[in-house]
């Protein structure tokens, strides 16, 4: 059982990376001209990483209460899914929030 719990934490990390990749993909796909693509493709994931680090990471500099933390996390993953959908990736847009929800449920059940 411990191995399964560890895999859930690995999934958690993979989802965080997928979140950043989704924003980057959207930015480079949507940006129009080259400077805008670079700005969106690097800037949006960077902004998401800063928000994650400040409020959501285990060592967050400004830790939040659980309901607000969950709301910000839901917002970020929802925006990432919307970005994937807008970029022409509906399958990944559906998979990302589904995997996030399963992961969050298991984190809650297992008190991770």
């Amino acid at each position: 059982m411990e191995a399964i719990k560890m895999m859930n934490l690995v999934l958690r990390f993979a989802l965080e990376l997928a979140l950043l990749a989704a924003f980057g993909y959207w930015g480079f796909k949507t940006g129009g001209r080259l400077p805008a693509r670079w700005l969106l493709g690097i800037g949006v994931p960077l902004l998401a990483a800063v928000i994650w680090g400040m409020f959501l990471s285990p060592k967050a500099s400004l830790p939040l209460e659980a309901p607000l933390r969950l709301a910000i996390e839901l917002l970020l993953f929802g925006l990432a899914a919307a970005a994937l959908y807008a970029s022409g990736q509906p399958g990944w847009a559906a998979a990302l929030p589904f995997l996030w929800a399963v992961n969050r449920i298991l984190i809650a059940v297992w008190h991770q």
Side-chain angles (χ1 to χ4, degrees), residues 8-112:
N8 192 49
L9 293 177
V10 170
L11 174 60
R12 177 68 175 174
F13 182 65
L15 286 169
E16 293 169 17
L17 295 177
L19 171 93
L20 299 176
F23 285 132
Y25 182 78
W26 170 82
F28 281 111
K29 196 85 161 134
T30 304
R33 293 189 174 170
L34 191 60
R37 284 196 310 250
W38 279 92
L39 182 64
L40 290 173
I42 294 172
V44 174
L46 184 60
L47 177 62
V50 167
I51 291 169
W52 194 277
M54 287 179 64
F55 302 112
L56 304 175
S57 76
K59 295 182 180 180
S61 56
L62 300 169
L64 302 172
E65 298 285 330
L68 185 54
R69 176 184 164 91
L70 185 62
I72 292 174
E73 199 173 315
L74 178 61
L75 176 67
L76 283 176
F77 276 97
L79 288 172
L84 285 170
Y85 188 81
S87 302
Q89 299 295 325
W92 288 112
L96 185 64
F98 173 76
L99 289 172
W100 172 80
V102 169
N103 180 255
R104 288 300 294 159
I105 290 167
L106 291 175
I107 285 173
V109 167
W110 291 333
H111 306 288
Q112 291 182 301

